[in-house]
Amino acid sequence: MDSDSIDYYDDDVDDGGLSEGALRSLNGPSCKVITKECLLAAQREDLQKVMELLSLTENHARTLLIHYRWDVDNVSEVFVNKGKDRQYEDACVTLHDNGDSSSLQTSSVTICVICLEEVPVYKMTTMDCGHCFCNNCWTEHFLVKINEGQSRRISCMAHKCNVVCDESKIRVYVSEKDPDLAKKFDGYLLESYIDDNKRVKWCPSVPHCGYAIRVEYDEYCEVECACGVQFCFSCSSEAHFPCSCQMFELWTEKCTDDINQTKTWMIINSKKCPKCHKPVEKNGGCNLAVCICRQPFCWLCGGATDFNHNWRSIEGHTCEEQQMAKAAREKSESLCHTHYLDRFKAHKESLKAETDLKKLQSKISNMEARDKKIVDYSWVTKGAERLILSRRILSYSYPFAYFMFGDIFLSEEMTKEDRIIKQNLFEQQQQAESHIERLSFFLAEPFDEFDEKKFNESQMKIITLSGVMDLLCKNLYDCIDNVILCDLETTINIAPYRSKGVDKAVEID
């Protein structure tokens, strides 16, 4: 398709209703950076929401949120569906306040059932569950639990009592015995906001930048940290959609090293000896192969035979259909994997070369120096961003197709006919590949040195192809949502297409 015949497509224009960008602007940033300095403030936000919603103390709100992995929406949903009493029971929260035994007469004594010693009642402490033990026993219990790494939900000492102890009381008793451990306890409670929170993840940068990312809505998304690292929020791997996290993991295992390439070649060009199981290569002749261990076997089905044979058959041997089918499947799968792997690698290599924007910045500087008036050259950077985003989507569309349309991933849910139909509807890569290569070519041209007419032509081609690639990527995702994954019983979570690219996290207020 020639660029002159393409309708110009502006990715900033709304195509009916509220656009993706408008929706996100109404709801605020979709993800935020949490620094060490603002970690406490981020935690306080969610604590305050639950404290106000359920009229709870900070201690009980924290216990509830840790149980529900700091998911405020889930806390609200369970409260509505199950009721307050059931919710508190599930989270081991008890609101009954038995008072502090220190308010009783200081002259009275009682026996602590843990250490079996007589203790003044003012040295006894009662937790919300009603169980009362001496302060020394409570302190030792807290010290052990914190050292064991269980400080986020320290339960009562009483037999079969799971009620979580008051963090303020834990803090008081531990600080009297070990101030340093009390600081660690506070640190563990603070870090639980990240470690136990399904909507917060540490940035996977190496070396670590020290930032965490909090998503406000869907956890299946791609995000960019303040340090510049882009990653899949769900699995913390590199951005890989339209592949699901499971597909990405399987593909990585299958393709990351040279051993797998060797294995692929060997599956296509060799067979295992039925006796010693070593690979045997055949480069001609009849279908009788002989291993180095001197075991003869049939090359077609891999079954052991005798040496007697002619050009047409092996004496006393007939290929078994199951073995023939297995060998054919192995070869077909290997060839299929090689087909998708070659295209995946080609786009990944192009992506590495195209992510260097220094040359584009140099071109923009040259154009700005040449023009005396203020001119907007954002179309250059937008074109480059569209190229990188589309290239990555296109590269990972191949492992997606490998798993979706092969006989491995969903063989029991789609018939062969269904796979063929859906594959034909999905395979828009050829059209996308043609346009993305042209976009890459035009961005690589020295358009900053062109005369006015040629410069304007180049600018229009880049703007047009950027819009076309956006539309093709959107269509690809629509096909996945509305055709490929439709009517499947297996849940496959694919992040929605973001025309503006990966969500860039902003620092939390």
Side-chain angles (χ1 to χ4, degrees), residues 256-308:
T256 48
D257 52 43
D258 293 335
I259 295 175
N260 285 314
Q261 295 181 40
T262 304
K263 182 180 177 182
T264 299
W265 184 92
M266 290 177 68
I267 289 173
I268 298 173
N269 297 283
S270 68
K271 296 282 176 67
K272 287 186 178 180
C273 169
K275 180 179 178 181
C276 68
H277 304 292
K278 290 181 179 178
V280 177
E281 180 185 0
K282 175 178 175 291
N283 54 13
C286 65
N287 288 322
L288 179 73
V290 182
C291 178
I292 194 172
C293 71
R294 301 304 299 161
Q295 170 65 49
F297 64 94
C298 174
W299 182 259
L300 293 177
C301 70
T305 66
D306 200 352
F307 280 99
N308 296 327

Side-chain angles (χ1 to χ4, degrees), residues 56 59 78 105 111 149 155 167 195 228 243 248 281 285 324 344 347 396 422 425:
L56 292 175
N59 165 53
V78 174
Q105 295 180 359
I111 294 177
S155 57
E167 68 182 65
D195 297 335
C243 273
F248 175 77
E281 180 185 0
M324 288 281 288
F344 170 77
H347 285 293
Y396 280 108
K422 290 186 175 184
L425 291 171

Side-chain angles (χ1 to χ4, degrees), residues 148-380:
E148 288 179 350
Q150 302 179 36
S151 57
R152 290 163 188 167
R153 288 175 59 87
I154 299 178
S155 57
C156 173
M157 286 188 289
H159 182 57
K160 293 185 177 180
C161 181
N162 296 318
V163 173
V164 178
C165 297
D166 189 331
E167 68 182 65
S168 61
K169 293 177 180 178
I170 297 172
R171 190 178 293 107
V172 169
Y173 295 139
V174 172
S175 60
E176 290 176 356
K177 188 73 175 284
D178 190 340
D180 291 335
L181 194 62
K183 290 181 181 179
K184 286 185 179 180
F185 171 70
D186 284 332
Y188 292 147
L189 289 179
L190 195 60
E191 289 173 4
S192 74
Y193 184 73
I194 294 178
D195 297 335
D196 301 329
N197 195 335
K198 73 173 187 177
R199 292 193 180 274
V200 178
K201 293 279 180 73
W202 289 110
C203 172
S205 55
V206 179
H208 191 242
C209 63
Y211 297 152
I213 306 295
R214 184 178 75 184
V215 296
E216 304 298 320
Y217 311 114
D218 191 0
E219 62 183 289
Y220 293 100
C221 60
E222 297 172 340
V223 296
E224 180 177 322
C225 180
C227 70
V229 170
Q230 295 183 355
F231 64 98
C232 164
F233 185 82
S234 178
C235 67
S236 297
S237 302
E238 65 177 270
H240 54 71
F241 298 118
C243 273
S244 68
C245 297
Q246 185 184 6
M247 289 177 181
F248 175 77
E249 183 180 357
L250 292 171
W251 182 258
T252 302
E253 290 175 359
K254 200 170 182 66
C255 309
T256 48
D257 52 43
D258 293 335
I259 295 175
N260 285 314
Q261 295 181 40
T262 304
K263 182 180 177 182
T264 299
W265 184 92
M266 290 177 68
I267 289 173
I268 298 173
N269 297 283
S270 68
K271 296 282 176 67
K272 287 186 178 180
C273 169
K275 180 179 178 181
C276 68
H277 304 292
K278 290 181 179 178
V280 177
E281 180 185 0
K282 175 178 175 291
N283 54 13
C286 65
N287 288 322
L288 179 73
V290 182
C291 178
I292 194 172
C293 71
R294 301 304 299 161
Q295 170 65 49
F297 64 94
C298 174
W299 182 259
L300 293 177
C301 70
T305 66
D306 200 352
F307 280 99
N308 296 327
H309 71 290
N310 56 41
W311 286 104
R312 294 186 177 181
S313 63
I314 302 172
E315 186 176 321
H317 172 75
T318 302
C319 290
E320 296 181 15
E321 291 184 6
Q322 291 182 344
Q323 289 179 312
M324 288 281 288
K326 180 183 177 183
R329 282 197 305 271
E330 286 179 349
K331 184 169 184 177
S332 175
E333 181 188 334
S334 182
L335 288 169
C336 177
H337 175 244
T338 303
H339 166 79
Y340 288 117
L341 179 61
D342 288 344
R343 282 151 183 78
F344 170 77
K345 284 189 170 182
H347 285 293
K348 290 290 281 186
E349 288 170 2
S350 296
L351 182 60
K352 286 181 182 178
E354 290 162 350
T355 49
D356 184 9
L357 298 178
K358 291 180 181 178
K359 294 180 180 178
L360 285 176
Q361 291 298 332
S362 175
K363 290 179 183 179
I364 292 174
S365 298
N366 290 341
M367 290 185 294
E368 288 176 339
R370 186 179 61 184
D371 292 321
K372 302 298 181 181
K373 57 183 180 179
I374 299 175
V375 180
D376 181 15
Y377 293 113
S378 61
W379 55 270
V380 180

Side-chain angles (χ1 to χ4, degrees), residues 3 25 34 69 80 86 94 142 167 217 220 232 256 267 288 325 365 375 402 426 470 472 497:
S3 62
S25 64
I34 299 177
R69 297 190 63 192
V80 172
R86 178 64 185 279
T94 301
F142 298 150
E167 68 182 65
Y217 311 114
Y220 293 100
C232 164
T256 48
I267 289 173
L288 179 73
S365 298
V375 180
Y402 171 74
F426 174 78
D470 183 29
L472 288 174
Y497 176 62

Side-chain angles (χ1 to χ4, degrees), residues 348-456:
K348 290 290 281 186
E349 288 170 2
S350 296
L351 182 60
K352 286 181 182 178
E354 290 162 350
T355 49
D356 184 9
L357 298 178
K358 291 180 181 178
K359 294 180 180 178
L360 285 176
Q361 291 298 332
S362 175
K363 290 179 183 179
I364 292 174
S365 298
N366 290 341
M367 290 185 294
E368 288 176 339
R370 186 179 61 184
D371 292 321
K372 302 298 181 181
K373 57 183 180 179
I374 299 175
V375 180
D376 181 15
Y377 293 113
S378 61
W379 55 270
V380 180
T381 52
K382 283 184 178 180
E385 289 168 358
R386 177 65 56 205
L387 173 66
I388 292 169
L389 175 62
S390 302
R391 181 76 77 180
R392 192 178 69 223
I393 289 172
L394 194 57
S395 64
Y396 280 108
S397 70
Y398 285 104
F400 174 86
Y402 171 74
F403 287 112
M404 287 301 303
F405 308 124
D407 294 327
I408 326 161
F409 203 65
L410 296 169
S411 57
E412 297 180 358
E413 289 202 42
M414 286 195 292
T415 64
K416 186 176 181 180
E417 291 74 18
D418 286 340
R419 285 199 300 271
I420 292 173
I421 292 171
K422 290 186 175 184
Q423 185 173 7
N424 290 335
L425 291 171
F426 174 78
E427 287 189 343
Q428 307 169 35
Q429 288 105 324
Q430 190 171 11
Q431 184 184 13
E433 281 178 341
S434 171
H435 287 91
I436 202 170
E437 296 306 332
R438 295 178 69 201
L439 178 59
S440 179
F441 172 79
F442 291 133
L443 282 168
E445 282 189 318
F447 51 80
D448 56 319
E449 301 174 4
F450 290 167
D451 59 40
E452 185 176 354
K453 181 181 179 181
K454 194 173 181 181
F455 172 83
N456 290 336

